[in-house]
Amino acid sequence: MEAEGLRGRVLSVASECVPLIKTGGLADVVGALPAALAGQGWQMRVLLPAYRSLRARAAGWPEVWASDDLFGGRGRVLAGEVDGVSVLLLDAPQFFDREGGPYSGGAGDWPDNALRFAALSWAGAEIARGGLWDGWRPDILHVHDWQAGYAPAYLRYQGAGAVKSVITVHNIAFQGWAPAAMLGMLRLPGSEFHADALEYYGGLSSLKAGLVTADAITTVSPTYASELMRPEFGMGLQGVIAARAAQVSGILNGVDTSVWSPEADSEIVAFSQRTLARKAENRAILQTEFGLEVPGPLAIVVSRLTDQKGIDLIPAALPEFIEGGGGLAVLGSGDPVLEGAMRGLEARFPGRVGVRIGYDEGLSHRMFAGADAVLVPSRFEPCGLTQMYGLRYGTLPVVTATGGLADTVIGATPATLAAGVATGIVFYPTDALALRLALRQLVDLHADARLWAQMQKNAMRHPVGWEASAAAYARLYEGLSG
Ligand code: ADP
């Protein structure tokens, strides 16, 4: 496995990875990192649970690690390759061979989630210490979110040797809570059950365990990194993160620019900065698809319909926008109350508002290609992907000044317009009034064809691929291992 120009090896531990298993953006990032890092000289293997849906795929893969007592049962690791990514699957049927999703079955969250993902983390720490039979040893253990949070802790408490660890927070809202009585069962040292280490509001949190024991902490945007140290965003962990501020950094996610490319998207009438006029053909198709006739700017929402995403602000802000000539197409699903609110807008503004409840990848491409603007009024947004798709397709993002939204969109202000660098509209605070004013600004900017075209070109030029982020991860790894 010795590669030319190899700078080091990384074991990535996560509960999701595209194309194998996905419930959210975490899977996209974990799946994209190996190829992005390979370009920087870092060889990455990804350790995942062998969920039922993945077991058949691993048939015939060689066994590279096993334990007779992985938290009460047998566990083994199988090594293979999927779409060029080197994958390690933890086969522990008592934990992962079940009908349902990664975290829940028909009756809600699996009651043994703490133990299931502790098992994943244990195997990760064993591999980090050089446990693989094929001789592969990582220099860096890189774990993602609460599901892998105990891995840096196991590594530290049992002797890490030269291996350094990194934990990445994709969303602080999920913390891997467990009762204190599970300390022994989770193979954690009683001596570390205090506020500066494992104890979390009287219980345990795998995310906190990772945050206090990893050598470095990253999150998916610089702004979210600083927000996480504040009570409004830290969700109880703000003090833990602030105490380690020197080890915290924010590295933006990238998007797959081969999938999200207006020049090469098979779902749309292709266009580029030079052939922007063809975007109008996509707009006409999109209006027909949603039954809309919109004289002014056509905005879209492609999102989980949840409180986090600020969807509840739209009904109060929209009437003035509609009156100003605007229209809205919505694709999403989630909270039934918000789904109902979106359907209510469709009924109230026929021909101006169209709504599809559901998940539809192809339609989302046609929406980004055809719309003028994408609305992302999130209350918090660790990184966010849809504003970056918008930039790629000259569909200007209208976003709140939070997390990755603040880091990827240059809001139109007199200064940024004079400098010719604006790529969208950024508003604050996150309320219906600010959204209403942002939509008013959208109508005004859109009415100035020359200015609008300039902003579209700025947006399409903005780099949203993985190159800069991969280089930032590589610098982090080098700083730790060097
Ligand atoms: P989050 O991970 O918080 O949901 P992100 O913006 O990071 O938000 O990622 C959401 C991803 O899911 C994007 O790729 C977005 O296009 C996609 N998505 C969300 N809802 C839908 C939907 N209804 N149909 C198609 N794609 C969707």
Side-chain angles (χ1 to χ4, degrees), residues 25 302-304 309 331-332 358-361 364 381 384-386 389:
V302 178
S303 179
R304 292 186 286 120
K309 301 291 180 178
L331 169 63
Y359 191 97
D360 187 334
E361 195 90 27
S364 76
E381 195 60 78
L385 293 172
T386 58
Y389 304 155

Side-chain angles (χ1 to χ4, degrees), residues 57-214:
R57 205 185 264 263
W61 287 11
E63 197 173 299
V64 290
W65 181 84
S67 165
D68 284 331
D69 182 19
L70 187 66
F71 295 86
R74 197 176 141 70
R76 57 191 194 133
V77 171
L78 305 169
E81 202 169 292
V82 178
D83 289 0
V85 176
S86 179
V87 174
L88 300 167
L89 284 180
L90 175 61
D91 182 30
Q94 72 278 21
F95 292 132
F96 303 119
D97 185 16
R98 337 180 150 169
E99 202 55 51
Y103 318 119
S104 56
D109 282 0
W110 301 113
D112 58 349
N113 270 348
L115 211 52
R116 296 171 74 227
F117 290 101
L120 175 72
S121 302
W122 185 269
E126 288 289 306
I127 294 170
R129 266 195 294 273
L132 282 190
W133 301 337
D134 64 9
W136 187 88
R137 306 176 71 103
D139 305 286
I140 303 282
L141 169 69
H142 186 168
V143 309
H144 300 270
D145 274 352
W146 69 269
Q147 297 90 339
Y150 285 131
Y154 294 140
L155 187 64
R156 168 143 312 195
Y157 297 146
Q158 273 149 57
V163 182
K164 302 295 183 194
S165 57
V166 178
I167 184 165
T168 296
V169 179
H170 297 261
N171 191 333
I172 199 88
F174 306 103
Q175 304 184 345
W177 194 85
M182 284 185 73
L183 192 77
M185 195 190 287
L186 292 170
R187 301 182 177 173
L188 295 163
S191 59
E192 297 295 327
F193 189 72
H194 54 82
D196 291 331
L198 296 175
E199 188 270 338
Y200 187 55
Y201 296 103
L204 294 162
S205 151
S206 56
L207 184 58
K208 181 185 174 185
L211 292 171
V212 296
T213 55

Side-chain angles (χ1 to χ4, degrees), residues 22-26 28-29 170-171 253 260 301-306 308-309 330-333 356-365 367-368 376 378 380-389 405:
K22 168 171 173 168
T23 71
L26 166 69
D28 291 308
V29 178
H170 297 261
N171 191 333
N253 292 334
W260 294 95
V301 169
V302 178
S303 179
R304 292 186 286 120
L305 301 180
T306 66
Q308 177 197 333
K309 301 291 180 178
V330 178
L331 169 63
S333 65
R356 291 278 183 291
I357 302 298
Y359 191 97
D360 187 334
E361 195 90 27
L363 177 58
S364 76
H365 280 250
M367 292 172 75
F368 282 102
V376 195
S378 302
F380 69 95
E381 195 60 78
C383 178
L385 293 172
T386 58
Q387 83 281 10
M388 295 200 265
Y389 304 155
L405 302 173

Side-chain angles (χ1 to χ4, degrees), residues 13 59 83 94 138 256 261 271 316 352 363 403 405 425 430 441 458:
V13 184
D83 289 0
Q94 72 278 21
D256 186 335
S261 166
F271 63 95
R352 289 296 195 86
L363 177 58
L405 302 173
I425 294 170
T430 310
Q441 192 184 8
N458 295 343

Side-chain angles (χ1 to χ4, degrees), residues 313-378:
L313 307 177
I314 294 175
L318 205 67
E320 180 186 316
F321 178 60
I322 301 291
E323 218 164 278
L328 177 69
V330 178
L331 169 63
S333 65
D335 182 343
V337 173
L338 296 173
E339 291 181 359
M342 293 302 103
R343 286 203 194 286
L345 290 173
E346 184 178 43
R348 183 170 164 202
F349 301 111
R352 289 296 195 86
V353 177
V355 176
R356 291 278 183 291
I357 302 298
Y359 191 97
D360 187 334
E361 195 90 27
L363 177 58
S364 76
H365 280 250
R366 297 194 292 282
M367 292 172 75
F368 282 102
D372 299 301
V374 53
L375 309 187
V376 195
S378 302

